[in-house]
Amino acid sequence: MKKIMKTFMTMIIMITVSFGSFNTLPINVYAADTAEAVQMVSMYTYDEMCSDITALQSQFPGSVTTGSIGTTALGRNIPYFTIGNTASGHNILIQSTVHAREYLATQVVMKMAEYYLTNRQDILQNVCFWIVPMGNPDGVDIAQFGTAHITDEATKNFVLQTGHATEWKANAMGVDINRNFDIGWAQLTPRVNGRSYMNYKGDAAVTENETKALVAFASARQYDAFISYHMQGNVIYYDEPGNTTENSARSTQLATAVANVNGYELRNLNKAVATNEVQQGGFTDWVQIVFNKPAITIEVGSSLPPQAQSSVSSIYNRNRDTWAAIASLYTPYTQS
């Protein structure tokens, strides 16, 4: 056994010498320095996410707290967890997967949280990340399993009649959560006129359980910045029509810091009004105007699940160090 372990350690040293630091590795190589609570090789479900949150809390009791921001229409909790120092006075909200079919982003966010807990406690001493890894659990379950887990007959019939289960973006009620926030909602031209698998903005702003929960969570404390994960395009959307000059500058700084790490294209929504790229009714639109704080939407990857599953490790590696870059904007930390 000792001989085997010695050989294994020698191989690790040889690999480290050959490739140098992590950032010199090709982005499609899975990082070997992370723990294995969060799997990266197959479809990642709501139940797996909940189990992993519990495991991380057990493994890092001083650095992880958990809870729920609300309950979906089908009765699922919408979990959150924190990593870092809740008493630091520096809070960053990470929110992912309000669009159901973009569930691979949850897998990436969970693995990133695990990495920082395992390897970057230097950062977590001075900042707290408040993470909502799956903002639309009902929709994700539909996108992954169709009607298999739906016990409510009315909802099951709605999904069956609507179709497009694997392409599902909405919640179980057929409302696009990221078009349901109270920012420019009335001016948002409906892409569809009723409940659907995608793009319906709702009968009014903030009608959905998930929207209400995110509004309450974002309002519960002072955040330095807001990060929203979507798929796809390898793009970072930032700024917002109606932003103050100061917050436009802050959002630009935040987006640039992230792009300097992951290499994604930057798109300024404040300069894109004429091209109709502005997503009114969205979470990051809302928080920027309501709280006058910087926010960005990061569109990870170049395709959607299930085709994109093979690229999850590449997306993770490309984005892994972005949270360190974000933290450095608001609080000092010791680089190891």
Side-chain angles (χ1 to χ4, degrees), residues 28-186:
N28 62 344
V29 175
Y30 178 67
D33 56 358
T34 55
E36 294 298 329
V38 181
Q39 63 88 9
M40 299 280 280
V41 295
S42 62
M43 185 173 68
Y44 194 68
T45 66
Y46 170 79
D47 289 340
E48 285 181 273
M49 176 194 68
C50 292
S51 177
D52 287 345
I53 291 172
T54 300
L56 292 177
Q57 183 183 34
S58 177
Q59 187 176 357
F60 302 97
S63 299
V64 178
T65 60
T66 65
S68 172
I69 70 169
T71 307
T72 69
L74 297 185
R76 291 183 176 89
N77 281 320
I78 307 171
Y80 81 87
F81 66 105
T82 69
I83 62 172
N85 182 1
T86 55
S88 67
H90 293 285
N91 301 303
I92 297 167
L93 196 158
I94 305 289
Q95 173 264 316
S96 178
T97 318
V98 295
H99 283 154
R101 69 187 185 189
E102 300 169 16
Y103 53 82
L104 192 143
T106 293
Q107 200 169 12
V108 172
V109 165
M110 288 295 299
K111 178 55 75 174
M112 288 172 68
E114 184 178 53
Y115 167 76
Y116 281 85
L117 286 165
T118 305
N119 299 282
R120 297 308 309 266
Q121 287 287 337
D122 56 321
I123 293 174
L124 299 184
Q125 291 173 7
N126 299 311
V127 69
C128 184
F129 292 94
W130 299 75
I131 303 170
V132 183
M134 187 181 290
N136 183 7
D138 290 349
V140 168
D141 194 77
I142 292 169
Q144 292 179 339
F145 300 106
T147 59
H149 299 155
I150 301 176
T151 57
D152 178 75
E153 287 300 319
T155 304
K156 180 181 291 188
N157 289 335
F158 164 65
V159 173
L160 288 172
Q161 292 169 10
T162 303
H164 302 280
T166 59
E167 303 170 77
W168 204 271
K169 288 179 69 176
N171 66 1
M173 299 295 99
V175 175
D176 186 328
I177 299 167
N178 211 45
R179 288 175 171 81
N180 193 237
F181 289 89
D182 193 13
I183 179 68
W185 182 91

Side-chain angles (χ1 to χ4, degrees), residues 19 21-31 313-314 316-318:
F19 289 99
S21 67
F22 175 87
N23 288 332
T24 64
L25 290 173
I27 61 174
N28 62 344
V29 175
Y30 178 67
S313 293
S314 174
Y316 162 75
N317 279 285
R318 190 164 179 175

Side-chain angles (χ1 to χ4, degrees), residues 275-298:
T275 63
N276 262 343
E277 289 193 49
V278 177
Q279 295 292 313
Q280 292 175 315
F283 176 76
T284 54
D285 306 317
W286 177 74
V287 294
Q288 287 183 85
I289 301 304
V290 171
F291 300 116
N292 194 34
K293 292 294 180 69
I296 58 174
T297 296
I298 304 175

